[in-house]
Amino acid sequence: MTKFRRLAATVSAAAIITCTATAVMAANIFVVGGKPDDPFWSIVKRGAEDAGKVVKSQGGKVTWLGPQNYDNLGVDAAELIRQAIDQGADAIVGPDWVPEAMDPAFKAVVEKGIPLVIYNAGGIEAAGRLGAMNYVGSNDYLSGKAAGTYFAKHDLKNAVCLNTLPGAANIEAFCKGMIDGVTEGGGAGSALPLPATSFGSATAVAQALKAHLLQNPEINAVFAIGNVDTNSAVNGVTQAGKKDQVKVCGMNMDETILNNIKNGTQLCAIDQQGYLQGYLAVSILNGNVNYGLTVPTREILTGPGVIDKENVDATLAGVKAGAR
C-alpha cells in the first residue's frame, strides 16, 4: 500500500508539472499586417502562419489582423492594435507605417506589459522609441537607395519614385532613399505622389505614370513601391511608348515580376524577404512568451537585396514554393 501511495503521488506530481508546462506554452500572438489580397503581404502572412504551426503545437495560436483597404492606413492599423489588446494578446507584431497615428496604440501595448516586435516598417528607431523587443525587416531607406544606386550604375540618371501611399513612413523612406541613391551616383531623382486610393489600381497608376513621363521626357527610370504598382508601372511605360527608354525597378516581387526581369520588360526588383519578416517575428515572440527567450541583436535585417537577370532564376524557385 505504501508503494502504491508513493507511486500515485509521483504520478500526480508529474501530471501537475505537465499541465503547468502546457498552460505556459500557449502564446496568443496577434500579427497586424497588410490586406490579405496584397501579394507582398500574403507572403508575410504565410511566414507568420508557418511559424504559427509551432505556436499551435504548444497550445497557442496566431491571429492575423489586416485592414480592408489602405485609404486611412494609420488610423485603421492603430485600431487593429487596440483590438489585439482587447482580445487578450500575449504578444503583438506590427509595422509602424504611420507613427503619428500608430505610436499611441503601440505604447499602450508596452504599457500593459505585452511583448512587442515591430516589423516591416519603422526600423530599429521605432523599436527603440516604442520599447519593442526587436525590429524585423528591411531598412526602408536603404532599400530605396539600393534602387537609386543601381539606376545610376546602369547610366539611368533621371529617376522618379512612384509613391501611391504618401504619408506612410516606410514609403516616404523608400522614395527618399531612391532619390539619394541616384543623386549620389551623379543623377537626379524625384517623387510622384498619387492619392492612396490609387495603390493597387492598375489603371490609375499606369495612366498617371504615362502622363508624367510624357510631360517629363528626361526621366529614364521609375521606382515603384510594391508588386502591383511595379506591374502597373511597366504598363504605364509601355502606354507612353517608352519601353526602350525608361526602365522600371520596384519593391518586392512575385513570379510575374521575375518573368518580367527575365524577358527584359523590368530591370530589377528590391527584395525585403517578407516571408522571413512574418516567420521570425512570430517565432521570437513565441519563444519569449513561453520560455523567456530574447534575441540580443535587436535589429534583424531581412533585406534589401537586388534581383536582376544575374540571380532571377535562383529566386524563381523560392517564389514557386511560396516563400519569396
Side-chain angles (χ1 to χ4, degrees), residues 151-163:
F151 284 150
K153 285 183 177 179
H154 289 76
D155 203 30
L156 300 166
K157 295 190 175 180
N158 198 310
V160 62
C161 178
L162 194 56
N163 185 348

Side-chain angles (χ1 to χ4, degrees), residues 177-197:
M178 190 283 292
I179 292 169
D180 287 352
V182 73
T183 301
E184 290 175 13
S190 60
L192 174 60
L194 300 178
T197 52

Side-chain angles (χ1 to χ4, degrees), residues 138-209:
S138 186
N139 182 298
D140 302 324
Y141 173 80
L142 293 180
S143 294
K145 192 169 186 179
T149 300
Y150 191 91
F151 284 150
K153 285 183 177 179
H154 289 76
D155 203 30
L156 300 166
K157 295 190 175 180
N158 198 310
V160 62
C161 178
L162 194 56
N163 185 348
T164 53
L165 287 174
N170 59 325
I171 307 304
E172 299 291 344
F174 287 153
C175 286
K176 185 178 189 308
M178 190 283 292
I179 292 169
D180 287 352
V182 73
T183 301
E184 290 175 13
S190 60
L192 174 60
L194 300 178
T197 52
S198 65
F199 180 86
S201 171
T203 300
V205 172
Q207 289 183 349
L209 180 59

Side-chain angles (χ1 to χ4, degrees), residues 289-313:
V289 171
N290 289 339
Y291 312 116
L293 296 171
T294 59
V295 179
T297 304
R298 294 187 66 222
E299 183 182 42
I300 302 172
L301 294 179
T302 62
V306 177
I307 300 168
D308 59 12
K309 281 192 172 183
E310 297 298 319
N311 58 357
V312 66
D313 287 329

Side-chain angles (χ1 to χ4, degrees), residues 29-32 40-58 62 64 93-94 117-120 134-137 272-288 295 300 302 321-324:
I29 301 173
F30 282 75
V31 183
V32 176
F40 171 74
W41 282 101
S42 67
I43 299 298
V44 179
K45 186 172 184 283
R46 175 164 180 168
E49 290 172 344
D50 281 356
K53 294 174 183 177
V54 174
V55 179
K56 185 177 180 180
S57 73
Q58 297 171 346
V62 172
W64 181 272
V93 181
V117 166
I118 299 295
Y119 80 148
N120 179 257
N134 298 88
Y135 170 71
V136 179
Q272 55 179 320
Q273 299 188 109
Y275 178 91
L276 280 181
Q277 293 178 15
Y279 188 90
L280 293 176
V282 168
S283 298
I284 288 169
L285 286 174
N286 188 54
N288 180 260
V295 179
I300 302 172
T302 62
R324 295 293 298 274

Side-chain angles (χ1 to χ4, degrees), residues 44-116:
V44 179
K45 186 172 184 283
R46 175 164 180 168
E49 290 172 344
D50 281 356
K53 294 174 183 177
V54 174
V55 179
K56 185 177 180 180
S57 73
Q58 297 171 346
K61 65 177 181 178
V62 172
T63 301
W64 181 272
L65 299 175
Q68 294 301 308
N69 56 59
Y70 296 140
D71 296 351
N72 200 18
L73 185 59
V75 174
D76 290 345
E79 179 57 31
L80 293 176
I81 296 164
R82 293 189 178 93
Q83 284 181 27
I85 296 173
D86 294 342
Q87 292 178 35
D90 295 316
I92 294 175
V93 181
D96 197 19
W97 284 315
V98 187
E100 58 268 27
M102 299 175 67
D103 281 7
F106 280 130
K107 289 176 181 176
V109 173
V110 176
E111 287 169 0
K112 290 183 177 294
I114 301 171
L116 170 68

Side-chain angles (χ1 to χ4, degrees), residues 159-284:
V160 62
C161 178
L162 194 56
N163 185 348
T164 53
L165 287 174
N170 59 325
I171 307 304
E172 299 291 344
F174 287 153
C175 286
K176 185 178 189 308
M178 190 283 292
I179 292 169
D180 287 352
V182 73
T183 301
E184 290 175 13
S190 60
L192 174 60
L194 300 178
T197 52
S198 65
F199 180 86
S201 171
T203 300
V205 172
Q207 289 183 349
L209 180 59
K210 172 188 174 181
H212 190 71
L213 293 176
L214 292 176
Q215 292 167 5
N216 299 273
E218 70 280 5
I219 293 174
N220 57 13
V222 177
F223 178 57
I225 53 88
N227 307 42
V228 178
D229 283 352
T230 302
N231 286 320
S232 301
V234 170
N235 291 334
V237 169
T238 301
Q239 290 175 23
K242 291 179 173 285
K243 65 179 181 179
D244 293 329
Q245 298 102 320
V246 179
K247 302 301 179 183
V248 176
C249 187
M251 286 300 307
N252 312 324
M253 47 68 183
D254 52 29
E255 192 167 358
T256 298
I257 284 173
L258 293 180
N259 286 325
N260 286 343
I261 293 173
K262 284 194 70 169
N263 65 33
T265 56
Q266 182 175 329
L267 182 66
C268 66
I270 306 300
D271 186 17
Q272 55 179 320
Q273 299 188 109
Y275 178 91
L276 280 181
Q277 293 178 15
Y279 188 90
L280 293 176
V282 168
S283 298
I284 288 169

